[in-house]
Amino acid sequence: MSFCAFLGGEVFKSHFEPGVYVCAKCGYELFSSRAKYEHSSPWPAFTETIHEDSVAKRKERPGAYKVSCGRCGNGLGHEFLNDGPKRGQSRF
């Protein structure tokens, strides 16, 4: 059973130009392109946020947090613990 559907068209998955990814709703800085890496999911993947308060987290299930913008609360997706490119890193 699939818990999500991806229809394609995610414009930032393969985008690796230098820069900063910001909240689409309020413009708050979320992730740096330096923290972005290639991943098999259909969405962009990052190892860390720019600021300590860039995102707010709410535990959804073991190993996964629901993530929203730390400033306006806009939904951003998830943080998956220990699923980053290096041992012990998270994947946003």
Side-chain angles (χ1 to χ4, degrees):
M1 180 171 126
S2 177
F3 64 91
C4 67
F6 180 69
L7 302 176
E10 170 51 63
V11 296
F12 293 109
K13 174 169 174 47
S14 299
H15 183 270
F16 286 92
E17 296 298 317
V20 174
Y21 293 81
V22 301
C23 175
K25 188 173 179 181
C26 74
Y28 192 50
E29 295 177 328
L30 303 171
F31 306 101
S32 167
S33 60
R34 290 186 304 270
K36 191 171 189 292
Y37 67 100
E38 289 193 46
H39 189 268
S40 62
S41 75
W43 299 277
F46 302 90
T47 56
E48 62 189 4
T49 61
I50 288 183
H51 307 290
E52 190 174 308
D53 68 346
S54 287
V55 300
K57 304 174 190 181
R58 178 180 51 81
K59 190 168 187 171
E60 186 173 70
R61 62 181 185 269
Y65 288 87
K66 200 73 158 144
V67 177
S68 59
C69 174
R71 179 176 285 165
C72 74
N74 186 35
L76 301 172
H78 293 85
E79 175 185 6
F80 298 101
L81 305 179
N82 299 311
D83 192 38
K86 295 180 184 173
R87 185 181 176 109
Q89 282 185 319
S90 289
R91 172 175 58 95
F92 289 88

